[in-house]
Amino acid sequence: MQTILKELPSDLDQERLPKHVAVIMDGNGRWAKRRGIPRIMGHRRGVDTLKQLLRCCDDWGIQALTAYAFSTENWGRPIEEVEFLMTLFERVLMRELQEMMEENVCIQFVGNLTALPQSLQNQIERAMTQTQNNTGIQFTVATNYGGREEILQACRAIATQVQHGQLQPDDIDEALFSRHLYTANIGDPDLLIRTSGEMRLSNFLLWQMAYAEFYITDAFWPDFDREAFHQALIAYQKRERRFGKV
């Protein structure tokens, strides 16, 4: 039987944990294929993995978790898979909302949400409204999200303000630009974890990842358990984060 690490492992320094962890949850389909089961079963298992990681972050004192759930490019997948994912997101929100309230989770969604099915939009709005005053872990779900699109919409918004005389070009700095991003109310990630061995950002949080530490594991997302997260945090704490300084 696997031991669940509820308490922070003794080889981790509480003072040097990342405040904000981001995850690219890769490998659900390949996990299922290796087991000879439909890809959708991998996505279902992946939801359980994300739920356990969220609880682990909360248990260990990590303040924020951001998950890449569906990219703007994912619409190019088979229509049956896309439809399943939209339904899965909606059902998970309906099923888990009460538990998130009980565990004091504050959930928000970022991305172009207007392109999602209306019923899913309704569930997203309900979840964000009901949890907005919760003071526990900040859980952000990137859905129909694309980093380049996010930057472009920020540029358009700022350009409109300049055009209307509300801003001067010299007023534009990093802080102002960040306030026009989907993630304006959360800090940048300290640690990015990507599963399944892929070594690319895949259009995820391109601006926000400027100084994130990257951790790549060959494990498929459904197999990324607390012990795997423990190892990611050990690797993170071995890094020297200089932010361009000596």
Side-chain angles (χ1 to χ4, degrees):
M1 180 181 295
Q2 183 183 16
T3 300
I4 297 177
L5 303 169
K6 290 209 58 146
E7 301 296 327
L8 183 70
S10 59
D11 55 358
L12 291 175
D13 180 354
Q14 182 79 57
E15 300 301 316
R16 297 179 59 240
L17 290 174
K19 293 181 176 62
H20 182 179
V21 174
V23 290
I24 299 178
M25 306 177 290
D26 207 3
N28 291 336
R30 280 168 285 174
W31 179 89
K33 184 177 180 180
R34 284 194 177 181
R35 287 159 176 76
I37 57 179
R39 285 174 58 86
I40 61 173
M41 299 303 293
H43 294 306
R44 283 179 174 163
R45 177 65 177 266
V47 168
D48 294 335
T49 300
L50 179 58
K51 180 179 176 181
Q52 293 307 313
L53 179 60
L54 177 65
R55 186 165 286 147
C56 182
C57 286
D58 196 31
D59 288 344
W60 291 359
I62 292 168
Q63 299 171 15
L65 174 67
T66 297
Y68 201 8
F70 191 86
S71 76
T72 50
E73 292 77 25
N74 286 156
W75 295 107
R77 293 187 175 188
I79 186 63
E80 296 84 1
E81 184 172 344
V82 171
E83 289 178 347
F84 172 80
L85 287 170
M86 295 297 128
T87 302
L88 180 63
F89 296 158
E90 188 174 339
R91 287 177 177 172
V92 168
L93 276 177
M94 293 174 65
R95 185 180 71 229
E96 302 293 340
L97 181 55
Q98 182 57 42
E99 192 167 331
M100 285 191 289
M101 289 296 298
E102 293 171 359
E103 298 188 13
N104 203 25
V105 174
C106 179
I107 188 170
Q108 71 171 1
F109 287 75
V110 295
N112 181 6
L113 305 180
T114 60
L116 301 174
Q118 187 60 53
S119 57
L120 177 54
Q121 290 184 52
N122 294 342
Q123 288 299 328
I124 287 173
E125 180 63 29
R126 176 169 171 257
M128 290 197 297
T129 298
Q130 290 195 22
T131 67
Q132 63 184 345
N133 295 321
N134 288 352
T135 57
I137 188 169
Q138 174 70 62
F139 180 35
T140 303
V141 185
T143 309
N144 196 29
Y145 173 90
R148 289 182 173 180
E149 180 178 299
E150 178 184 34
I151 290 170
L152 285 175
Q153 67 85 27
C155 290
R156 293 189 193 104
I158 292 170
T160 299
Q161 290 180 300
V162 172
Q163 185 179 39
H164 292 165
Q166 298 166 336
L167 276 178
Q168 293 300 313
D170 288 344
D171 296 331
I172 303 169
D173 57 15
E174 289 188 14
L176 184 143
F177 191 83
S178 294
R179 289 197 297 272
H180 286 80
L181 297 174
Y182 298 136
T183 56
N185 64 334
I186 59 174
D188 293 343
D190 302 298
L191 171 64
L192 169 68
I193 296 170
R194 180 160 191 164
T195 54
S196 85
E198 304 293 351
M199 297 188 183
R200 55 181 177 272
L201 278 175
S202 296
N203 204 16
F204 184 44
L205 300 178
L206 300 180
W207 173 274
Q208 299 88 337
M209 291 293 183
Y211 278 102
E213 299 292 332
F214 288 14
Y215 178 82
I216 310 297
T217 174
D218 289 332
F220 293 140
W221 175 250
D223 292 327
F224 192 80
D225 57 13
R226 285 192 178 218
E227 179 53 36
F229 187 45
H230 176 202
Q231 295 305 313
L233 294 177
I234 288 175
Y236 172 83
Q237 293 198 341
K238 290 178 179 178
R239 312 273 178 92
E240 185 178 353
R241 307 189 74 209
R242 296 189 297 272
F243 300 96
K245 302 173 186 176
V246 176

